[in-house]
Amino acid sequence: MRRLDVATKRGSVLNGVLFSEGPAETVVIAITGIHGNFYSNPFYVNIGQALNAAGIDFIYAQTSDAFNEIPTVNVTTGAREVIGSWNEDFHHTDEDIEAYLNYAVSSGYRWVILAGHSLGANKVIYYLSRHHSGPVTRFLLLSPANIKHLTNQVSPGERDMVKDYVARGHGQKKLPFALMGWVPCVADTAYQWLFDDVLDNVHVEQDGDFAQVAAIEHTGALLIGTYDRFTYGDPSGFLKNINDHMARPEANQLLFIERTGHTYQGKEQEVAEAIAVLVHSWEDECNDRPRV
């Protein structure tokens, strides 16, 4: 296990961790969700260890919002900067994911599984809806984030304040309240959470906007805990509804982890082992495919 730093096109450096026990043909890249760091989501360690035991590499891939604030140095400008959930721009999703994919390609992996947990799953959906070729072999969506459920707790007054800040040109000014009660952020970031559909791509409602989901040409798997509280009481229906809007729903696999929630408390090892079995089965199916 070693630290992995990858640079984006804009020069910002993203921090990840590579789990590897030696030469491997397959790597699973897991895009984290908001504040989805090792401390809040310890299941990443279980996944990395389980995959390594199966001869598969694993990259825990932080994007800009794994922590609220991440001090770093921009490799393009040389300037110090602080990235994080406080000033994330969702429109950077493509280049954040590409930074990790570029590392995988340069490392010579034969198969690349692009995974994402929570908001990271929404980012994977956004990316794959726009990129139909390239190194990604399969996708793995872990508990996609129902953004409307998260933002429903933002009051009308707070929403009006966000709009007012942006309208008056103060989009990069930090708001006097924490968005959703736990995300201190600038107005531009809050505006994207509340009013932009960049990552608002999965829904409980059958008639929600699933345009991004429907545009994905890759196949893969979707996983969720049956106690996931961000789904209005129906995690299984939520996952099935997402898959029903895929271009090839019959080609995907759905995995339900019983009696656990959004971050798989108490079932971390079960999740890890299920993912290892799944990825190993994909390797068996793809053995005759050309190298990426």
Side-chain angles (χ1 to χ4, degrees), residues 255-281:
L255 288 75
F256 302 101
I257 308 300
E258 299 292 334
R259 298 183 297 279
T260 191
H262 194 68
T263 56
Y264 320 123
Q265 299 93 330
K267 294 297 184 77
E268 294 90 347
Q269 190 59 26
E270 181 179 336
V271 170
E273 291 173 0
I275 292 173
V277 170
L278 177 68
V279 175
H280 192 62
S281 72

Side-chain angles (χ1 to χ4, degrees), residues 128-264:
L128 292 180
S129 73
R130 294 156 53 83
H131 300 273
H132 301 140
S133 60
V136 177
T137 308
R138 294 278 195 278
F139 66 75
L140 176 57
L141 306 179
L142 308 168
S143 304
N146 183 358
I147 289 182
K148 285 292 188 294
H149 176 84
L150 293 172
T151 58
N152 276 347
Q153 56 193 297
V154 181
S155 71
E158 290 170 338
R159 291 170 185 266
D160 288 343
M161 183 178 293
V162 170
K163 289 181 178 178
D164 180 64
Y165 269 49
V166 172
R168 291 192 292 118
H170 300 318
Q172 288 300 297
K173 184 176 180 180
K174 187 172 283 189
L175 296 167
F177 61 90
L179 188 72
M180 302 176 289
W182 54 281
V183 185
C185 62
V186 299
D188 282 342
T189 296
Y191 191 92
Q192 289 187 351
W193 274 101
L194 295 170
F195 307 114
D196 203 326
D197 62 357
V198 178
L199 299 182
D200 187 15
N201 48 29
V202 296
H203 314 277
V204 171
E205 302 79 12
Q206 293 185 3
D207 60 351
D209 183 357
F210 284 94
Q212 290 184 28
V213 171
I216 295 175
E217 296 181 1
H218 292 77
T219 61
L222 301 86
L223 181 150
I224 201 166
T226 59
Y227 288 170
D228 194 311
R229 62 188 180 87
F230 301 135
T231 62
Y232 298 101
D234 188 12
S236 298
F238 175 63
L239 209 65
K240 291 174 182 175
N241 190 35
I242 297 171
N243 189 54
D244 285 345
H245 288 84
M246 291 273 185
R248 297 173 58 195
E250 73 288 346
N252 300 324
Q253 296 173 256
L254 304 184
L255 288 75
F256 302 101
I257 308 300
E258 299 292 334
R259 298 183 297 279
T260 191
H262 194 68
T263 56
Y264 320 123

Side-chain angles (χ1 to χ4, degrees), residues 14-16 30-32 36-38 60-64 66-67 70 100:
L14 306 178
N15 309 129
I31 306 300
T32 64
N37 50 68
F38 273 138
Y60 154 83
Q62 294 182 173
T63 52
S64 301
F67 295 88
I70 307 170
Y100 288 103

